[in-house]
Amino acid sequence: MAERAALEELVRLQGERVRVLKQQKASAEEIEKEVAKLLKLKAQLGPDEGKQKFVLKTPKETLTGKYGEDSKLIYDLKDQGGELLSLRYDLTVPFARYLAMNKLTNIKRYHIAKDFDIAGQFDPMIPDAECLKIMCEILSSLQIGDFLVKVNDRRILDGMFAICGVPDSKFRTICSSVDKLDKVSWEEVKNEMVGEKGLAPEVADRIGDYVQQHGGVSLVEQLLQDPELSQNKQALEGLGDLKLLFEYLTLFGIADKISFDLSLARGLDYYTGVIYEAVLLQTPVRAGEEPLGVGSVAAGGRYDGLVGMFDPKGRKVPCVGLSIGVERIFSIVEQRLEALEEKVRTTETQVLVASAQKKLLEERLKLVSELWDAGIKAELLYKKNPKLLNQLQYCEEAGIPLVAIIGEQELKDGVIKLRSVASREEVDVRREDLVEEIKRRTSQPLCIC
C-alpha cells in the first residue's frame, strides 16, 4: 500500500513538471521526453489507475471525421508547449471515447447544465423516450415559451434517399442540405442540391415530396403503408421504432409536444437512429396559421456506432443523449426580461440588512447572523456607514426583493422595518417575527418568463 502511495506521488510530481514545462513554453522535444516518463510511471500503477476519474481529454484526431459538414465548428489551438488541441461545442464524441477507453458498457451521465446520455444495451426506445421526457421537463420548467420537439430517424432518411435515387456517396451531403429546411425554403434547398451538389432535379423533386411532411403517429402509420418506403429495410426499421417511441411518449404525457418531421436531418455523421431537436414557437400573426419555429434550444439522438470507433476490438455500445443550448436559452431569457423592462437577478439573496443611520454596523452584523442561522439568504454592504440610498440602489440593481432596515427608533421599539424593493412599501415587523415574515414573502418561486 505504501509503495503505491509513493508511486502515486511520483506520478503527481511528474505531471506537475510537465505542466510547468508547457507553461514555460519549453521545446517540444523536452516536453515529449517528460511526458514519456509520466506515462511510464502511470503504467506502473496498473489498469486501476484513474478508474474512478471521469476525465474527458480530446486530441484533435478524435474529433476529425465525426461531424460531416459541421466540422467547421471544430476549433484548433495550441497550448503553451505547442501541443495541438481542439474544441468542439458538444461532448458526445469525447464521451464515446471515454466509454471505449474504460471498457464501459452501461452508464447514465449528466453533465451539469448541458448534456445527458444513456449508454448500454436496453430494449428499443425506452431510453430514447426518457431523453425526450427530460428535454421536455427542462424546457417546461424554464418557462421560456411554447416549444415543439421535432423527431426523425436517420434510417428513415437513408431509406428515403435510397428509394428517391440519391447515390450512396451523396447521402450525408444531401442530408446536410435537407437539414436547412427550418431556415430556408424548399426551392433554395433544391437549388443547393441540384446546383451545388450535382443531384438530378427529378431526384430532388422526389425528396421534396417526403421532406415537406410532418405530423404525429398517424404520419408514421401512413409511411408504413407507403408502397416504396415500406420496402426499404432501413426505413421500415426506423418507422417501426418511431411508432413504438410515440407509444412511450403518450404514456409519459408529452406526445402533444412531439412532431414527426421528415425534414429534420441533424447534420452530424455519428447519428444512427432516432434524432430530435427542440424549437421555440412564435405565436402566429394571423388566425389559423401554424406557429413558427424561432430557433433550436436543445437537440440529440442515438449514436450506436460511435464508441466502437475508439474501441481496439470495435465493440459497440448503444448510446442516446441530448444537449441543451444553454447560451441560447440565456440569451432568450435576457431578451424577454429586457422587453418587459425587468431586471435580471444576479444573486439569490432574499434580503439585504441595511441601516438608516451611522454607527450601526454592529447591529447589522448581529441581525445578518441571526438571519443566516435561520437559513435566510441575507447579506450586507461591507462598509461601516453606508448611505441608505446606496443600499437601496444596490438591491434594485442586484434584484434583491427585500430590505431589512435598522434605525435608532427601530432598536428602541424592538422592530425591523421591512421594505419591498419592487413596491417600496415598508412595514414594521417585530424582530422575533422577522424570519417567518421573510420566509412568507419569499416562498413563491420566481418566474423568469
Side-chain angles (χ1 to χ4, degrees):
M1 196 70 180
E3 289 181 6
R4 182 173 181 83
L7 190 55
E8 287 175 345
E9 178 62 13
L10 287 174
V11 168
R12 186 188 70 78
L13 292 172
Q14 184 62 23
E16 184 61 31
R17 173 162 176 73
V18 171
R19 282 190 289 275
V20 169
L21 287 173
K22 288 184 175 183
Q23 290 170 357
Q24 294 174 346
K25 299 183 180 180
S27 67
E29 292 78 8
E30 188 176 1
I31 292 173
E32 287 176 9
K33 181 180 176 182
E34 297 303 322
V35 167
K37 291 180 182 178
L38 176 61
L39 294 175
K40 189 174 180 181
L41 286 169
K42 284 186 174 182
Q44 292 178 46
L45 284 174
D48 290 335
E49 196 279 318
K51 198 169 188 179
Q52 301 304 317
K53 298 177 183 176
F54 197 103
V55 181
L56 296 181
K57 293 183 178 180
T58 312
K60 175 177 170 60
E61 62 269 17
T62 298
L63 297 177
T64 305
K66 310 296 188 305
Y67 296 105
E69 294 190 1
D70 275 356
S71 290
K72 59 182 178 292
L73 296 172
I74 297 173
Y75 304 97
D76 295 337
L77 63 151
K78 290 184 179 181
D79 69 4
Q80 296 97 325
E83 185 178 355
L84 186 60
L85 305 171
S86 289
L87 294 175
R88 163 69 178 148
Y89 60 78
D90 75 8
L91 292 172
T92 307
V93 172
F95 174 63
R97 179 171 173 262
Y98 173 84
L99 296 181
M101 288 172 60
N102 292 276
K103 298 180 174 59
L104 296 175
T105 58
N106 195 311
I107 187 174
K108 186 181 286 190
R109 174 187 78 105
Y110 171 60
H111 186 86
I112 295 176
K114 186 172 176 60
D115 291 352
F116 177 82
D117 294 271
I118 300 172
Q121 188 74 51
F122 305 107
D123 286 342
M125 296 298 103
I126 300 175
D128 307 66
E130 182 179 346
C131 284
L132 286 165
K133 174 67 171 175
I134 290 169
M135 182 183 285
C136 289
E137 282 186 354
I138 291 171
L139 296 178
S140 296
S141 64
L142 287 172
Q143 300 179 350
I144 54 176
D146 291 335
F147 64 90
L148 182 71
V149 182
K150 302 177 182 180
V151 300
N152 199 0
D153 193 297
R154 269 295 176 83
R155 294 167 295 177
I156 298 173
L157 281 169
D158 287 349
M160 176 187 70
F161 291 151
I163 67 168
C164 289
V166 179
D168 290 354
S169 60
K170 291 184 181 290
F171 273 23
R172 292 286 77 89
T173 187
I174 297 303
C175 189
S176 178
S177 296
V178 168
D179 202 39
K180 297 175 183 176
L181 272 172
D182 62 332
K183 303 179 185 70
V184 300
S185 69
W186 164 246
E187 285 304 315
E188 290 175 272
V189 169
K190 178 183 175 181
N191 288 340
E192 179 182 298
M193 290 194 291
V194 175
E196 297 179 23
K197 299 184 176 180
L199 197 66
E202 60 274 15
V203 174
D205 287 335
R206 294 190 68 191
I207 293 173
D209 292 338
Y210 284 106
V211 298
Q212 295 180 80
Q213 297 185 64
H214 57 87
V217 68
S218 59
L219 178 58
V220 177
E221 292 169 344
Q222 176 187 320
L223 293 175
L224 280 168
Q225 303 303 316
D226 184 283
E228 291 186 275
L229 202 58
S230 62
Q231 298 304 307
N232 182 277
K233 183 182 177 182
Q234 274 189 300
L236 196 60
E237 288 176 357
L239 288 166
D241 278 351
L242 273 191
K243 185 176 180 181
L244 182 61
L245 178 65
F246 269 99
E247 290 180 19
Y248 296 151
L249 298 178
T250 301
L251 294 172
F252 278 151
I254 58 170
D256 61 324
K257 292 286 187 183
I258 312 296
S259 171
F260 173 30
D261 192 323
L262 281 159
S263 71
L264 179 65
R266 302 285 297 142
L268 306 179
D269 281 358
Y270 54 67
Y271 285 126
T272 57
V274 171
I275 50 177
Y276 34 84
E277 181 174 275
V279 295
L280 290 185
L281 298 177
Q282 190 177 63
T283 304
V285 178
R286 299 181 185 86
E289 288 185 345
E290 290 189 5
L292 299 173
V294 293
S296 172
V297 290
R302 177 160 286 281
Y303 51 102
D304 289 349
L306 194 54
V307 176
M309 292 183 182
F310 302 109
D311 190 291
K313 297 182 179 179
R315 288 171 294 203
K316 292 186 178 182
V317 178
C319 298
V320 64
L322 65 95
S323 182
I324 303 296
V326 176
E327 288 187 4
R328 181 166 180 81
I329 288 172
F330 280 172
S331 176
I332 291 166
V333 170
E334 287 177 348
Q335 288 172 14
R336 295 196 173 185
L337 289 173
E338 287 176 9
L340 295 170
E341 297 184 348
E342 292 184 14
K343 293 284 185 181
V344 177
R345 285 201 68 183
T346 59
T347 176
E348 289 189 349
T349 301
Q350 296 167 296
V351 60
L352 180 82
V353 176
S355 56
Q357 289 97 24
K358 293 181 178 180
K359 299 181 181 179
L360 291 173
L361 175 60
E362 288 185 8
E363 296 299 332
R364 284 194 292 140
L365 291 173
K366 287 179 188 176
L367 181 57
V368 80
S369 181
E370 289 175 21
L371 296 176
W372 288 339
D373 290 344
I376 300 294
K377 296 175 181 176
E379 64 175 283
L380 74 167
L381 295 191
Y382 301 137
K383 288 189 175 184
K384 284 186 177 181
N385 299 305
K387 294 180 180 179
L388 181 59
L389 181 61
N390 291 344
Q391 295 170 91
L392 297 178
Q393 285 178 339
Y394 173 75
C395 288
E396 289 185 1
E397 290 169 2
I400 299 173
L402 298 171
V403 190
I405 303 172
I406 303 172
E408 293 174 358
Q409 189 61 47
E410 284 79 16
L411 289 172
K412 289 178 184 177
D413 297 341
V415 300
I416 301 295
K417 195 177 293 294
L418 192 61
R419 177 186 175 103
S420 166
V421 175
S423 68
R424 302 187 179 183
E425 176 191 359
E426 295 180 348
V427 293
D428 288 340
V429 180
R430 292 189 63 80
R431 189 161 183 144
E432 58 266 29
D433 298 330
L434 182 62
V435 168
E436 288 306 314
E437 181 63 18
I438 291 172
K439 287 182 177 179
R440 185 185 70 79
R441 291 189 180 216
T442 58
S443 62
Q444 296 300 319
L446 289 168
C447 176
I448 61 171
C449 57

